[in-house]
Amino acid sequence: MRVNGAETSAELEPRVSLLDALREHLGVTGPKKGCDQGACGACTVLVDGRRVVSCLGLAVQYDGREVTTIEGVDHPVQRAFVRNDGLQCGYCTPGQICSAVGMLAEHAAGEPSAATERVTSRPTLTEAEIRERMSGNLCRCGAYNGIVAAIAEVAG
Amino acid sequence: MTQAPPAPVTEAPVLGAPVDRIDGTAKTTGQARYAAEFDHPGLVHAALVCATVPRARLVGIDTADALAHPGVLTVLTHENAPTMRKSPSPGLPDISTMATATSVTYLNTDEVHWNGQPVAVVVATTSDAAKEAAALVRPSYEPLPATVDFQAALPDARPQKRNPFSPAGGAKGDAEAALATAPVSVDLTFTTPMHHHNAIEPHATTAVWHGDRLTVHECTQTIDWTRRRLAHVFGVPVADVRVLAEFVGGGFGGKGYLWPGTVLAVLAARVTERPVRLALSREEVYRTVGGRTPSTQRVALGSTVDGKLTALVHTSITQLGRIGGWPEQVTSQSRHLYDAEHVLLRQRQVELDALSTTTMRAPGESIGTYALESAVDELAHRLGMDPIELRMRNEPDRNPLGGTRFSHRRLREAYALGAERFGWAERSPEPGSMRDGRWLVGWGVASAYHPAQMFPANVTVRLFADGTVLLRSAFHETGMGQPTTQAQIVAHELGVPFEAVRVEHGDTALPTGPPAGGSMQTASLAASVRAACADLRRSVHGLARRSGSVVGRQRPADLVARDGGLFGPDGGETYAAILSRAGQSRVDAKVGSDTGLGRVTGQLRFAARMVRDGMRWVRASTGAQFCEVRVDPDTGEVRVTRWVGAFDIGTVVNAKTATSQLRGGIVMGIGLALSEETLVDPRTGRIMNPNLSGYHVPVHADVPELDVAFVGDPDPTMPLGVLGAGEVGITGVGGAVANAVFHATGRRVYDLPITLDKLL
């Protein structure tokens, strides 16, 4: 498995989740554990560029894949989060940012969402689209307005 | 002592500026570390075994399979756990006892007091092994009679004891008699369910013993109280316990107390002589950390035909555990919001065989404003009067109970500001009369109210010869942006650039800071930071005088702190120049003392100030919440589509972070109004939705743009004019949503949350 560009190997029991492998075995603590059952999105990472909730996958499934966590992300959306105060306590933030990066790529590839009215053409990334596409990432501090503003700013 | 040169009034103030968070980069790059993310050599993992019965005696606990699981080091139960000391009940003079969450000595008793109480802790080399082995522990119980159903226990409610911050009732005149004879009246009953904080970071502890010295990385809003309680429980000197919490992943009141996971992690580390991490699962947080009480409330209002209130009755029943809990101040806002001629406020409680209830964002006012403001809206409807007009007709000049003066009150201004931004004048008053296509549209309004108080806060401020400044205090950053706002206050007080200020916080090795609770942290720190900075300016002036600087030849009153130094009519110098000429590498100023005597003095002063201020002024943050909902007439689905919150929080230190705090309160209030509900099995007291898939917090798609506006008027009695911002935002939200739903549909919902089944 490559993690943030570096070849990584670890001997793990089959029951170890990708999230636990990162946090507890590889010392990569950027992805957060909020629920451990795919409901909060705090553990979101990018696998070969697509967003994945890392608590729901087993590490062995990702053998040989390219995993990018917040530590490996260098994207304008990070600065936009700070400018727009799209964070408070910071715990959901790595997941929000990885999710935003993955979501922007999905949108760029023309993928629709539940908020898309016409699926035949590439949807405009309205705020309603951003909200729908980011709804798998919970923020209990309620920084949603800032997060949407940050993503909209970067999306242009 | 010479007078300190005054703080500046500058043209481009740092105070109030929307400065980006100091820790924004750390939090957006994964560098910010939380309690479960500190590695130590030999670190092992713990997991809890929680009781599945409400009240019982343990007659046995089979740990053989758990111990046989590969990687397991030990299983601690009531049969083998070393004795710990019982925490004293919360009370003065030691305010750190407030952090005592329950009266239970975990694993030192065979009694089970609530469904979820930890009965064993497993320690293993990996978290997976610990969790798997925990599932293999088999406790045997002898059930004992248990009272766990809040609704069924209501007839047994008894008068509530007051909590440290708010009385449990109050009265003026004869409200029931006035109600009976009022020309117009409403008499309504409301219910609210249990809520849980659900900070996205579940509670976690990393505990390391070096002999009898303990270091704990803990997610807490009260690091000093945590340290003192742990020292007590484990019988070691306070000075030998260090608690660190630089970043905390949200708290909302849920991380203010010493819950069992913390104690058991420290115990496990003690027994195994290994560093131990206990990261609670989401379910374990529900099982072992208290939530907000459910409530039933009666609000009755009587008025003249032109809307002058003659009677206001607000009573409540809330829940505590027999083992502890927070007496929720449900009628708090009803003491202050309306100038009724006769008032009756009464809080009662039931005690259940359940985990202690606890503080959750605006305990009391969050659910109390829902009931009160719904009733006011209903009265306005029956009077045929605009609900804002009804409120303005009953806006008091002095506190309705006791006639105490308000330190300042800008609720009228908040309503005017909010109504303008929302476009309230366009509202068609008749319920069900506004539509957008097929959607029913409703506009609702409600008042927000949260008291303002202060804790003691010790700080040191150090000015270096290069003109940079270091602020040190063991305060908390749980998301409010505290290091940023305090750096702004230092920059303001010393006239240095914001970038020149560094802040150290979240470590008991620093001067003792205030708890992050009760919306008190910013003002509490501001008082001490201002005093320390004044002391620094005084010291610098003294240095300037002795070293022959032009600054020293001028009177302190003629000097202004700006541009990184002190300047007067006859010129000035930067701090760097003054310190350099005086041959000083730094100047320190300190407020408060961490000696035993200093602590006692600080607490006495704190208690005296609270009593004295309470007699002199009623002080609070207030606001006006404006909500637009759209309701699907076929499905009853409610969408919040527009929001304006206009607030008086006194001085706004950072427009960006304060806006976020208030928005965060509104978001949590939208959850309270529409979706949040902890479901408790009335037969077993077991929480049935201990997760984020069954307990619905608002998501991106539930939250429209929230327009937050500030009246911006400093409170004359608070340091820098700062009132609190952390909690007022959630207050009034439930009422505003419920009132908007009524306006959209003609249906008033008396039972939160307003789920679609209640509108069909």
Side-chain angles (χ1 to χ4, degrees):
Chain A
M1 188 162 78
R2 285 175 67 82
V3 177
N4 298 325
E7 205 65 49
T8 311
S9 70
E11 190 100 347
L12 297 171
E13 294 176 288
R15 65 183 168 187
V16 177
S17 70
L18 176 58
L19 177 61
D20 284 345
L22 291 166
R23 282 174 67 82
E24 293 180 9
H25 298 273
L26 300 174
V28 180
T29 57
K32 304 304 182 199
K33 186 183 281 190
C35 69
D36 215 18
Q37 53 181 206
C40 77
C43 65
T44 306
V45 300
L46 298 163
V47 176
D48 300 326
R50 291 195 73 87
R51 50 183 173 161
V52 162
V53 279
S54 60
C55 73
L56 286 190
L58 297 171
V60 292
Q61 293 174 272
Y62 295 93
D63 194 14
R65 308 282 291 277
E66 176 82 43
V67 177
T68 305
T69 69
I70 186 68
E71 289 94 336
V73 172
D74 182 9
H75 193 281
V77 81
Q78 290 162 289
R79 270 78 72 194
F81 264 61
V82 178
R83 278 194 303 278
N84 291 281
D85 217 32
L87 67 146
Q88 292 191 34
C89 78
Y91 198 79
C92 76
T93 311
Q96 299 276 359
I97 290 172
C98 287
S99 188
V101 171
M103 182 274 278
L104 288 169
E106 289 161 21
H107 172 256
E111 295 180 24
S113 81
T116 306
E117 290 185 14
R118 291 164 55 93
V119 295
T120 48
S121 59
R122 186 178 141 183
T124 310
L125 201 57
T126 60
E127 292 198 348
E129 278 277 359
I130 295 173
R131 289 191 185 108
E132 175 60 32
R133 289 164 187 260
M134 291 296 293
S135 279
N137 290 83
L138 305 183
C139 171
R140 188 56 160 164
C141 298
Y144 293 131
N145 280 189
I147 295 168
V148 171
I151 295 170
E153 186 181 297
V154 170
Chain B
M1 193 182 276
T2 56
Q3 190 189 345
V9 184
T10 56
E11 297 77 27
V14 65
L15 201 69
V19 175
D20 289 348
R21 286 167 195 265
I22 279 185
D23 47 25
T25 300
K27 288 175 176 174
T28 53
T29 56
Q31 303 310 304
R33 283 202 294 168
Y34 299 80
E37 297 168 0
F38 291 86
D39 208 1
H40 288 271
L43 180 88
V44 292
H45 299 261
L48 299 180
V49 179
C50 295
T52 52
V53 292
R55 188 161 167 261
R57 192 168 298 284
L58 277 162
V59 292
I61 187 158
D62 182 351
T63 59
D65 289 351
L67 283 166
H69 189 80
V72 171
L73 302 177
T74 188
V75 180
L76 296 172
T77 70
H78 68 290
E79 291 174 348
N80 63 356
T83 304
M84 293 174 282
R85 290 167 66 191
K86 189 181 169 83
S87 265
S89 299
L92 291 171
D94 183 358
I95 57 172
S96 80
T97 54
M98 275 181 63
T100 301
T102 79
S103 58
V104 180
T105 47
Y106 316 113
L107 304 195
N108 283 170
T109 173
D110 61 356
E111 286 177 89
V112 172
H113 299 270
W114 83 88
N115 198 324
Q117 177 181 322
V119 294
V121 57
V122 178
V123 188
T125 50
T126 67
S127 63
D128 282 306
K131 274 181 221 137
E132 179 67 22
L136 300 174
V137 173
R138 284 187 297 276
S140 305
Y141 304 103
E142 174 194 312
L144 296 172
T147 307
V148 294
D149 183 351
F150 176 67
Q151 288 299 328
L154 290 176
D156 301 325
R158 292 181 306 181
Q160 189 191 68
K161 280 191 213 153
R162 61 164 296 156
N163 70 42
F165 298 104
S166 189
K172 180 173 79 171
D174 186 344
E176 294 287 9
L179 183 68
T181 57
V184 186
S185 64
V186 297
D187 195 338
L188 308 169
T189 300
F190 300 88
T191 55
T192 63
M194 177 168 263
H195 294 135
H196 276 78
H197 312 78
N198 283 302
I200 300 295
E201 179 200 24
H203 292 56
T205 307
T206 305
V208 190
W209 288 93
H210 296 284
D212 277 344
R213 299 175 74 88
L214 172 66
T215 301
V216 181
H217 301 275
E218 172 73 358
C219 57
T220 173
Q221 300 169 237
T222 57
I223 62 171
D224 178 60
W225 294 359
T226 301
R227 170 205 210 190
R228 286 173 191 280
R229 294 300 91 228
L230 285 175
H232 175 89
V233 168
F234 290 94
V236 295
V238 171
D240 288 348
V241 180
R242 184 178 181 192
V243 179
L244 297 117
E246 187 182 5
F247 295 111
V248 177
F252 317 113
K255 291 173 180 169
Y257 305 81
L258 195 68
W259 297 103
T262 307
V263 177
L264 295 177
V266 174
L267 178 77
R270 186 88 162 156
V271 171
T272 58
E273 299 182 336
R274 300 276 291 267
V276 168
R277 177 185 302 157
L278 176 51
L280 297 189
S281 69
R282 179 60 56 186
E283 177 176 347
E284 286 167 339
V285 177
Y286 276 87
R287 301 272 178 247
T288 66
V289 176
R292 188 202 303 282
T293 176
S295 78
T296 176
Q297 305 178 45
R298 174 188 172 216
V299 182
L301 304 170
S303 87
T304 63
V305 289
D306 56 358
K308 184 73 193 75
L309 285 178
T310 54
L312 189 167
V313 178
H314 191 171
T315 67
S316 65
I317 304 177
T318 55
Q319 171 188 326
L320 283 82
R322 278 190 224 288
I323 53 171
W326 180 260
E328 186 107 349
Q329 61 269 39
V330 178
T331 68
S332 161
Q333 69 290 319
S334 306
R335 311 174 69 77
H336 311 296
L337 276 176
Y338 297 106
D339 194 14
E341 198 180 336
H342 300 270
V343 177
L344 174 63
L345 309 174
R346 194 175 59 199
Q347 296 172 184
R348 290 184 295 152
Q349 66 187 41
V350 296
E351 291 187 4
L352 301 185
D353 295 299
L355 176 56
S356 313
T357 48
T358 194
T359 52
M360 178 168 161
R361 207 168 198 164
E365 298 89 4
S366 53
I367 54 176
T369 49
Y370 155 65
L372 177 67
E373 294 299 279
S374 292
V376 168
D377 195 70
E378 180 63 28
L379 180 65
H381 175 66
R382 293 196 193 170
L383 286 164
M385 186 178 288
D386 180 87
I388 297 179
E389 177 58 26
L390 175 60
R391 288 178 172 85
M392 294 304 103
R393 286 190 190 188
N394 292 285
E395 176 65 6
D397 297 323
R398 284 178 169 245
N399 196 52
L401 285 178
T404 316
R405 280 182 301 146
F406 294 120
S407 64
H408 89 166
R409 174 110 160 180
R410 297 290 178 269
L411 192 54
R412 284 182 189 280
E413 290 81 351
Y415 267 104
L417 178 63
E420 171 70 28
R421 293 173 86 103
F422 192 81
W424 184 258
E426 304 302 311
R427 180 177 183 260
S428 145
E430 197 55 36
S433 63
M434 291 171 70
R435 276 185 179 253
D436 181 13
R438 61 191 299 275
W439 291 91
L440 298 164
V441 176
W443 290 4
V445 72
S447 296
Y449 187 95
H450 192 269
Q453 289 167 328
M454 281 188 282
F455 278 119
N458 297 349
V459 306
T460 61
V461 181
R462 176 170 292 173
L463 173 64
F464 292 96
D466 63 359
T468 63
V469 184
L470 173 64
L471 166 66
R472 305 174 82 234
S473 177
F475 65 82
H476 310 79
E477 165 54 8
T478 69
M480 68 291 276
Q482 202 59 247
T484 312
T485 48
Q486 294 305 325
Q488 285 175 270
I489 293 172
V490 170
H492 168 78
E493 292 292 321
L494 293 178
V496 299
F498 173 73
E499 295 73 21
V501 184
R502 274 195 310 127
V503 181
E504 292 178 4
H505 63 92
D507 179 351
T508 53
L510 300 167
T512 304
S519 300
M520 293 190 242
Q521 202 175 226
T522 305
S524 304
L525 284 162
S528 298
V529 168
R530 290 196 78 197
C533 289
D535 198 27
L536 261 188
R537 296 194 302 267
R538 192 180 296 124
S539 298
V540 171
H541 184 256
L543 282 179
R545 211 176 48 234
R546 290 193 291 279
S547 61
S549 157
V550 61
V551 168
R553 293 194 292 273
Q554 302 176 66
R555 291 187 310 141
D558 294 334
L559 294 165
V560 172
R562 64 171 166 86
D563 300 325
L566 297 176
F567 295 85
D570 300 336
E573 275 192 319
T574 62
Y575 296 122
I578 296 169
L579 265 62
S580 158
R581 178 176 295 104
Q584 293 276 325
S585 63
R586 66 183 207 213
V587 184
D588 284 350
K590 176 176 156 188
V591 167
S593 164
D594 284 311
T595 62
L597 182 63
R599 182 179 164 79
V600 171
T601 311
Q603 293 194 359
L604 288 174
R605 199 176 292 143
F606 156 71
R609 185 175 63 192
M610 203 162 104
V611 171
R612 188 197 62 205
D613 286 2
M615 291 192 301
R616 291 167 78 180
W617 307 293
V618 166
R619 242 176 356 206
S621 297
T622 60
Q625 308 270 22
F626 291 78
C627 167
E628 177 186 275
V629 296
R630 277 157 205 247
V631 182
D632 186 309
D634 296 325
T635 66
E637 179 186 4
V638 179
R639 310 295 304 169
V640 175
T641 47
R642 245 170 13 105
W643 200 279
V644 174
F647 297 96
D648 168 27
I649 58 165
T651 301
V652 177
V653 180
N654 182 324
K656 193 175 281 194
T657 56
T659 299
S660 291
Q661 276 284 82
L662 290 159
R663 281 179 174 160
I666 294 166
V667 171
M668 202 175 276
I670 291 172
L672 171 146
L674 295 178
S675 61
E676 293 188 32
E677 177 172 26
T678 304
L679 301 166
V680 181
D681 184 337
R683 301 161 302 171
T684 63
R686 192 158 180 83
I687 293 172
M688 303 309 290
N689 57 341
N691 48 58
L692 288 166
S693 44
Y695 184 105
H696 297 148
V697 307
V699 305
H700 273 285
D702 297 323
V703 179
E705 186 176 344
L706 307 170
D707 178 17
V708 165
F710 300 109
V711 173
D713 191 18
D715 182 290
T717 71
M718 291 289 277
L720 286 174
V722 173
L723 297 162
E727 290 165 286
V728 70
I730 191 175
T731 70
V733 176
V737 173
N739 296 342
V741 168
F742 174 75
H743 184 235
T745 64
R747 291 256 195 139
R748 189 167 299 285
V749 177
Y750 299 96
D751 176 39
L752 291 184
I754 305 170
T755 44
L756 37 75
D757 53 297
K758 294 171 189 170
L759 294 174
L760 293 176

